[in-house]
């Protein structure tokens, strides 16, 4: 900010000198008067530092810490219930490792100058495409039958599951970067923007990664409409996607049965509706106080992953569930509110993109507790066991890094509007 502050103070000084000269003062008298009116330079420096210093989003950081603590509490309860002896798994220890690694990623992205990322948006987009291509073409099939996991030193990373975050970061920079695609006329530019938006969606659809497809389309379309103001195009793409997805689900017997079982588990109580019925039974039997720390009933399989929120209510009751609901809603609202505090268009889009990516997952995780939602591979952010917390910590770190610099950007770098 030094250059901009210097220009502002110099302009103010020149105005004071001019006013004094008009009253008949000499040049030397006018300059001394202006210097006296400017005030103590050390006091000015301290005041400007308070205005333009880095901002630490303490409330969001506190939310991340609370969610991580809840995760470790739940994993400790699973271990205390004897899950270690049954399946030779130590979820609390492994989750602690993931959280520590995630905090390192969050810290690194917190200090990155996000404006430099905007210049590399095209390269980030290409890197995301290449990563997905490697995951699809070169990685051997896992037990799930999908090509998406890369193993490194005993850790398996879901590259396809992480890729929507990277695509959103790239698109935010491409769509807001001044001069990008300026060599083409308006119509060609808009077609290229849509092509960049739809290409990842086509890839996700081709490998049947429907959770990532839905999540990516929702967030990218919101950002596209927000930036371009082309509501008709966005609504049309949304309608075509919903219609095509509905036809695909209805024509796929497995997906159709899963949807029917989720909507009304009484229609498929022993097949596709079984897990939804068990979720309802587990929550209803918890009561206000729950079954207690260390409870591990047989009703909920894999309580440390997809059904972790339901397990927490099973252990800590409806009271714990309400506290989890309050914490999640507060965390979502806090993330979204930071977008209003940032005037830089690219920074605002990064906050909106990362906040929506995490918020949609949080809302979906809570909606599973209703027993009326299809169960997918979308983990509950920050809580459920797995390496997905790495990308979630990284996303929050980037979000906080944008907020950190909100008062440190010269006006020349801040566009007047979207």
């Amino acid at each position: 900010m030094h250059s901009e502050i210097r220009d502002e103070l110099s302009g103010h000084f020149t105005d004071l000198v001019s006013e004094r000269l008009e009253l008949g003062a000499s040049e030397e008298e006018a300059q001394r008067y202006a210097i006296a009116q400017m005030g103590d330079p050390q006091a000015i420096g301290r005041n400007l530092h308070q205005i333009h210093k880095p901002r630490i989003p303490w409330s969001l950081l506190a939310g991340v810490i609370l969610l991580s603590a809840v995760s470790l509490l739940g994993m400790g309860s699973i271990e205390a219930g004897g899950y270690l002896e049954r399946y030779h798994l130590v979820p609390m220890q492994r989750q602690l490792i993931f959280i520590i690694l995630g905090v390192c990623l969050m810290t690194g992205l917190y200090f990155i100058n996000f404006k430099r990322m905007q210049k590399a948006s095209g390269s980030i987009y290409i890197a995301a495409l290449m990563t997905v291509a490697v995951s699809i073409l070169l990685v051997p099939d896992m037990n799930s039958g999908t090509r998406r996991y890369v193993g490194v030193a005993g850790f398996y990373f879901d590259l396809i599951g992480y890729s929507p975050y990277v695509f959103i970061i790239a698109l935010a920079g491409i769509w807001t970067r001044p001069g990008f695609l300026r060599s083409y006329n308006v119509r060609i530019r808009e077609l290229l923007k849509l092509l960049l938006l739809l290409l990842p969606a086509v890839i996700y659809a081709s490998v049947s990664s429907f959770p990532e497809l839905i999540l990516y389309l929702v967030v990218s379309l919101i950002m596209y409409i927000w930036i371009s103001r082309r509501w008709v195009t966005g609504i049309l793409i949304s309608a075509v996607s919903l219609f095509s997805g509905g036809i695909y689900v209805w024509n796929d017997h497995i997906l159709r049965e899963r949807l029917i079982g989720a909507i009304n588990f009484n229609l498929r109580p022993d097949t596709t509706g079984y897990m939804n019925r068990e979720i309802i039974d587990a929550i209803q039997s918890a009561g206000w106080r729950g079954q207690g720390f260390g409870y591990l009933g047989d009703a909920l399989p894999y309580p440390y992953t997809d059904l972790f929120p339901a397990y927490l209510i099973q252990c800590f009751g409806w009271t714990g569930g309400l506290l989890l609901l309050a914490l999640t809603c507060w965390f979502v609202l806090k993330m979204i509110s930071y977008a209003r505090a940032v005037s830089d268009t690219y920074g605002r889009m990064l906050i909106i993109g990362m906040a929506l990516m995490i918020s949609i997952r949080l809302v979906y995780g809570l909606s599973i507790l209703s027993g009326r939602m299809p169960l997918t591979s979308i983990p509950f952010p920050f809580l459920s066991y797995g390496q997905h917390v790495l990308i979630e910590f990284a996303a929050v770190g980037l979000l906080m890094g944008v907020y950190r610099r909100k008062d440190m950007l010269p006006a020349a770098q801040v566009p007047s509007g979207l």
Side-chain angles (χ1 to χ4, degrees):
M1 297 294 297
H2 286 183
S3 177
E4 184 169 292
I5 291 172
R6 185 179 295 109
D7 292 341
E8 181 181 350
L9 294 179
S10 297
H12 186 44
F13 178 82
T14 302
D15 292 340
L16 289 173
V17 171
S18 300
E19 291 176 3
R20 206 64 179 175
L21 289 174
E22 292 177 358
L23 295 176
S26 66
E27 183 73 23
E28 183 179 356
E29 291 175 342
Q31 290 183 358
R32 289 183 177 181
Y33 170 81
I35 291 174
Q37 293 298 312
M38 294 293 288
D40 179 24
Q42 292 186 357
I44 294 175
R46 287 192 297 267
N47 292 334
L48 288 172
H49 177 70
Q50 291 301 316
I51 295 173
H52 297 291
K53 70 178 182 179
R55 303 296 177 181
I56 301 176
W58 292 108
S59 55
L60 191 63
L61 183 60
V64 173
I65 294 174
L66 287 174
L67 288 172
S68 301
V70 172
S71 176
L72 293 177
L73 177 65
M75 298 302 164
S77 178
I78 292 174
E79 288 192 18
Y83 208 89
L84 171 62
E85 289 77 10
R86 294 188 189 185
Y87 301 101
H88 305 289
L89 182 67
V90 283
M92 183 178 181
Q93 177 182 333
R94 296 273 292 183
Q95 188 73 352
L96 180 59
I97 295 174
F98 298 149
I99 290 174
I100 293 174
L101 294 175
V103 169
C104 294
L105 284 174
M106 181 178 69
T107 303
L109 287 171
Y110 174 73
F111 288 104
I112 283 180
N113 186 348
F114 71 95
K115 293 297 291 183
R116 295 180 180 177
M117 294 176 55
Q118 187 178 24
K119 300 178 181 179
S121 299
S123 301
I124 294 174
Y125 187 90
I126 294 174
L129 287 177
M130 294 178 62
T131 301
V132 172
V134 168
S135 179
I136 295 173
L137 300 177
L138 302 182
V139 178
D141 289 341
M142 300 294 288
N143 294 330
S144 60
T146 58
R147 301 172 183 261
R148 54 189 300 159
Y149 294 95
V150 172
V152 178
F155 294 92
Y156 289 90
F157 299 96
D158 183 2
L159 298 182
I160 293 181
Y162 299 168
S163 61
Y165 290 90
V166 185
F167 279 122
I168 292 300
I169 293 172
L171 290 177
I174 291 172
W175 289 341
T176 60
R177 182 178 173 184
F180 192 78
L181 302 177
R182 291 294 184 186
S183 59
Y184 303 96
N185 60 46
V186 176
R187 181 171 297 181
I188 298 298
R189 285 203 303 268
E190 291 303 319
L191 289 176
L192 289 175
K193 288 180 180 179
L194 287 176
L195 177 62
L196 292 174
L197 185 154
L198 295 175
L199 180 57
V202 173
I203 295 175
Y204 293 138
S206 65
V207 296
S208 301
S209 296
F210 298 116
E212 288 75 21
L213 171 63
I214 296 172
L215 185 66
Y216 168 78
L217 274 180
V218 170
V219 178
S220 61
L221 284 175
I222 290 175
M223 291 176 55
Y224 173 77
I225 294 173
W226 196 315
I227 294 173
S228 67
R229 302 302 187 188
R230 295 183 178 275
W231 296 89
V232 176
T233 303
I235 293 174
L236 181 61
I237 295 175
S238 302
V240 172
S241 301
L242 285 173
F243 182 74
S244 303
I247 293 177
Y248 183 88
V249 170
W250 188 255
N251 290 328
D252 188 290
H253 175 73
I254 297 177
L255 293 178
R256 185 173 70 246
E257 287 298 309
R258 290 179 62 184
L259 182 61
I260 293 174
I263 295 175
N264 189 348
F265 54 80
N266 292 320
L267 297 176
R268 305 289 190 274
D270 298 322
T271 54
T272 55
Y274 174 78
M275 287 306 305
N276 298 79
R277 178 169 57 86
E278 293 299 326
I279 291 173
I280 294 296
D281 292 342
I283 293 176
Q284 289 179 346
S285 62
W288 286 105
R289 300 179 61 181
Q291 307 295 339
F293 182 84
Y295 175 78
L296 195 65
D298 296 328
L300 295 176
Y302 304 109
Y304 55 95
T305 53
D306 297 346
L307 304 183
F308 188 66
Y311 172 74
L312 289 175
I313 296 178
Q314 213 177 19
C315 289
F316 306 106
W318 302 337
T319 303
L322 291 175
L323 291 175
L324 176 62
L325 175 63
L327 174 60
T328 303
C329 293
W330 173 79
F331 189 74
V332 168
L333 293 175
K334 184 58 65 175
M335 283 193 298
I336 296 175
S337 69
Y338 284 155
R340 300 181 59 184
V342 177
S343 57
D344 179 78
T345 306
Y346 173 57
R348 183 178 295 180
M349 286 300 102
L350 283 179
I351 290 180
I352 291 175
M354 296 300 98
L356 286 176
M357 291 291 291
I358 296 175
S359 299
I360 293 173
R361 291 173 178 263
L362 287 170
V363 172
Y364 170 77
L366 292 176
S367 67
I368 288 178
L369 300 176
S370 67
R372 304 290 178 177
M373 287 293 291
L375 300 178
T376 67
S377 58
I378 297 179
F380 198 95
F382 302 104
L383 290 188
S384 60
Y385 173 84
Q387 292 142 22
H388 59 89
V389 298
L390 299 179
I391 191 66
E392 291 152 8
F393 272 100
V396 171
L398 180 59
L399 190 156
M400 293 195 300
V402 175
Y403 182 83
R404 175 179 181 267
R405 292 179 175 271
K406 73 182 185 71
D407 296 323
M408 299 169 62
L409 293 176
Q413 296 185 21
V414 180
S416 59
L418 294 176

